[in-house]
Amino acid sequence: MSEDIPEEDMEYLEFKGVFRVPDTILRHELLKAFVESVYPFLPVLDLESFLLPVISNDGVQTVSLLLFHAVMFSATAFVQLKHLHNAGYETRKEAREQFYLRARTLYDFDIEKDRVVLIQALLLMTYWHETPDNPKDSQYWLNVCWSLGASIGLDCDPSTSPMNPQLQKVWKRLWWCLYTRDTLLAQNLRRPLCYGNDKNRLPLISLEEFNIGTLHREAGSPRFQGLSLPRAQYGQVICEMPSILQDLNQLGLVQYLPTSTVALLVPVLARLVLDFKANNGCMGIETFERFYQGMQVLGTLGDIYSFAVTVRRFFEGTLHGGKQGSSYVSMPSAIRNLLTKKEQDAFATSELTGVRGNI
């Protein structure tokens, strides 16, 4: 953000809440909703270069504040409502309006100078539909995007320019995002295409222009996917998740779940085992029932995913003092990567002391 903003403007921006960001849990859920439900339709940015600074939050790597709020706003339409309620919003509309107004305020104050970033943010702001008496509706933002795109030559083939390959991909995707967004809005609002009629202006695009592949370890790691939660909420997950999966198991639906289900079960089962260790080796009926439900689900998933068999064997060995037969069960690296450092250390201790379950 520019440092030459007048003090009174800074005070107003502070009053409008543009410097406030969602708490860790809501921010994570909004990012997940963006990646799953918005980005596939509008791949307007380089996902990794955006996610890494937001996740690390170290003050060294930065992203545009306008783009950040635009991403958060676009995701509010798809995030589970309970996460908005937990953050203090009474309705989804209230949350969407607040995030939208933060982005619009930054735009109105001409804070962002980078035209590519402006196009990225404003395309996401087309998800807002204003009241009829307000001209800044989705069509307004789309018009601005087309104008900005034409002004920087976004419709030209970027391969002939000296820009780096990653930015070239973003440019191509942006121009196609303008076209597809215009097409979708035309269908939704039952109006003719405003700009998409001239398809000859669209640069050719291929799969190589999209971010298809594995994200950087920090952006795609299990620890990002399950940001480890306040203890009360973590306990609620431990209580509910095995039971929900067992219900699916009884309905014959577990086999349709993705392999990521196994990864989600690992920290849950680990916490149950460590809690039982903390209680001097005594496992209560409810704790054992949850553990047993999780192990049954792993048994079903083991028919499809070999990783589920590995996880089940490990936890079976853990309950028998870290042994399976006459040999100790070592923690596979795939399981270790799904646990926090504290959990790994706790398991190392439990294997040495010999954990046994008593009901």
Side-chain angles (χ1 to χ4, degrees):
M1 181 175 291
S2 176
E3 297 181 356
D4 58 357
I5 302 176
E7 183 177 350
E8 59 271 22
D9 287 352
M10 290 292 290
E11 292 177 355
Y12 180 79
L13 292 172
E14 175 68 36
F15 173 74
K16 298 297 287 187
V18 301
F19 303 122
R20 300 174 200 161
V21 298
D23 60 47
T24 303
I25 297 175
L26 180 58
R27 187 165 67 246
H28 160 66
E29 294 298 334
L30 287 172
L31 286 174
K32 184 171 73 171
F34 173 77
V35 172
E36 293 178 349
S37 302
V38 180
Y39 191 77
F41 295 94
L42 282 179
V44 296
L45 45 79
D46 179 65
L47 203 54
E48 189 169 292
S49 63
F50 177 83
L51 290 177
L52 285 177
V54 176
I55 296 168
S56 62
N57 195 27
D58 56 9
V60 178
Q61 306 176 82
T62 61
V63 297
S64 162
L65 191 58
L66 170 61
L67 183 58
F68 172 80
H69 283 307
V71 167
M72 296 290 102
F73 154 71
S74 67
T76 54
F78 306 98
V79 72
Q80 291 186 35
L81 191 57
K82 65 180 181 180
H83 298 301
L84 298 177
H85 287 164
N86 292 338
Y89 297 102
E90 294 186 2
T91 64
R92 187 182 300 275
K93 182 180 179 181
E94 178 190 351
R96 283 174 55 74
E97 184 173 19
Q98 185 176 107
F99 281 102
Y100 170 78
L101 289 176
R102 289 174 183 173
R104 197 186 75 177
T105 299
L106 286 167
Y107 173 79
D108 289 342
F109 271 71
D110 201 22
I111 298 296
E112 183 57 60
K113 306 298 182 183
D114 189 319
R115 297 190 183 188
V116 172
V117 173
L118 282 170
I119 295 172
Q120 292 171 325
L122 299 187
L123 268 173
L124 295 173
M125 289 169 65
T126 61
Y127 276 94
W128 179 258
H129 299 279
E130 280 278 14
T131 56
D133 57 342
N134 193 316
K136 291 185 178 179
D137 57 6
S138 56
Q139 186 60 55
Y140 171 85
W141 297 122
L142 188 63
N143 291 342
V144 176
C145 288
W146 278 103
S147 177
L148 288 171
S151 71
I152 61 175
L154 197 64
D155 56 330
C156 300
D157 186 358
S159 61
T160 60
S161 69
M163 69 177 68
N164 66 67
Q166 200 63 31
L167 187 56
Q168 290 181 18
K169 295 178 181 180
V170 173
W171 274 52
K172 278 192 176 182
R173 295 203 308 268
L174 271 180
W175 193 252
W176 275 92
C177 284
L178 287 170
Y179 169 73
T180 56
R181 194 65 182 140
D182 184 26
T183 302
L184 288 173
L185 286 175
Q187 293 175 348
N188 293 339
L189 303 176
R190 296 184 178 181
R191 61 158 175 76
L193 288 173
C194 293
Y195 305 95
N197 287 318
D198 187 5
K199 295 182 181 180
N200 294 326
R201 298 178 64 192
L202 292 169
L204 293 178
I205 194 167
S206 63
L207 285 177
E208 286 71 26
E209 264 71 58
F210 293 87
N211 296 129
I212 300 176
T214 303
L215 291 177
H216 186 279
R217 178 178 175 83
E218 292 182 29
S221 69
R223 287 174 189 158
F224 162 64
Q225 294 167 6
L227 286 174
S228 285
L229 292 173
R231 188 168 182 81
Q233 291 186 333
Y234 195 48
Q236 184 179 3
V237 171
I238 292 173
C239 290
E240 295 180 359
M241 184 175 172
S243 177
I244 293 172
L245 289 176
Q246 179 62 2
D247 288 343
L248 293 176
N249 198 20
Q250 292 174 348
L251 293 171
L253 299 175
V254 162
Q255 59 265 34
Y256 298 106
L257 295 176
T259 185
S260 56
T261 306
V262 183
L264 291 174
L265 267 172
V266 169
V268 173
L269 293 174
R271 180 50 56 186
L272 289 171
V273 171
L274 292 177
D275 284 350
F276 126 82
K277 175 184 178 296
N279 292 325
N280 298 319
C282 295
M283 184 180 285
I285 294 295
E286 292 183 358
T287 302
F288 179 79
E289 182 180 11
R290 295 185 194 111
F291 182 82
Y292 181 71
Q293 289 172 335
M295 295 293 277
Q296 280 191 310
V297 171
L298 284 176
T300 302
L301 289 171
D303 294 334
I304 308 169
Y305 308 120
S306 59
F307 182 39
V309 177
T310 303
V311 172
R312 183 183 171 94
R313 287 176 179 170
F314 171 75
F315 283 110
E316 284 176 344
T318 302
L319 279 186
H320 292 85
K323 290 184 178 181
Q324 191 171 56
S326 60
S327 61
Y328 281 90
V329 180
S330 61
M331 181 184 291
S333 59
I335 295 178
R336 186 182 302 111
N337 291 336
L338 295 170
L339 301 177
T340 65
K341 183 64 167 59
K342 288 184 178 180
E343 289 169 337
Q344 294 176 31
D345 293 342
F347 266 101
T349 303
S350 69
E351 289 182 5
L352 291 174
T353 56
V355 178
R356 283 178 170 77
N358 299 305
I359 303 176

